Amino acid sequence: MLLDLLFPNRCLHCNTIISKDELVCHVCFPQIKFSHFNFYEENPLKQRCKLLFPVKNAYAVMEFQEEALSQKIIHQLKYRSQEKVGKIMAEWTLERIYLSEKPDVLITVPLHPKKLKKRGYNQLHIFADTLSKNWEIPHHKEALKRNSYQKAQAQKDKSHRAETKYDFSLTEEISGKHVLLIDDVFTTGNTISAIAWEILKNPRNEVSVLVMAFDS
């Protein structure tokens, strides 16, 4: 209670004091650029994915814009240890997606052990765990392993992001499954593509994509 008084939660955009369970105030909320994509229909994210690998469905919660509110939200999640952001993002997702056909399993993009130790948590786990509980779909947190340590995409300019090579491997057998791959931001698509092709090595698998934000 004392901490709440001394360090009140503030809106990420205008700095107004808000409830501890919120990210932005009701005035700034409309400034979040939600994508309004349809999970089961053609949309810009699905079209981008189809250029890289066979994708069943694709959805982005927000459109990522540098220096905008969407970037502030993602940075709070990734770099400010604000794990509650993952839960709030999941709640926004649940309000916007109705699954008429459920995937079999949720898989989140893993951090390299070195980065995980430094950050202390995988920013995607609370997001995916909340979805897993509500959708009643298992979240296989350890299904993937990142084998190489790479500089964060956000720390590179766009011209150098495509140069990054990704090395992932599955730690469990996945066969005959519709996998929903979850990541925070889709930029070049290199990360998701590398993982998708690992899963699609088994021709009986299918892959869909869910990201918090889409950098178009």
Side-chain angles (χ1 to χ4, degrees), residues 118-140:
K118 181 179 179 181
R119 188 174 293 173
Y121 69 101
N122 185 324
Q123 72 275 8
L124 297 173
H125 283 176
I126 289 183
F127 178 71
D129 283 344
T130 305
L131 297 177
S132 173
K133 181 179 179 180
N134 282 270
W135 284 338
E136 298 181 334
I137 301 171
H139 172 207
H140 288 201

Side-chain angles (χ1 to χ4, degrees), residues 44-56 58 153 161-162 164 166 181 183 185-200 207 209 211 214-215:
L45 174 59
K46 185 174 181 179
Q47 291 167 2
R48 285 272 295 277
C49 288
K50 285 167 70 173
L51 296 173
L52 301 170
F53 58 91
V55 64
K56 185 176 178 68
Q153 289 282 75
R161 288 176 184 173
T164 303
Y166 294 92
L181 282 180
D183 202 1
V185 182
F186 186 104
T187 50
T188 64
N190 289 345
T191 305
I192 289 290
S193 179
I195 294 170
W197 282 115
E198 278 297 308
I199 295 168
L200 293 171
V207 170
V209 171
V211 295
F214 172 50
D215 187 353

Side-chain angles (χ1 to χ4, degrees), residues 64 70-81 154:
F64 187 84
S70 58
Q71 185 184 53
K72 292 177 182 177
I73 291 169
I74 296 297
H75 279 204
Q76 286 290 313
L77 176 68
K78 294 181 72 169
Y79 305 117
R80 302 291 184 181
S81 299

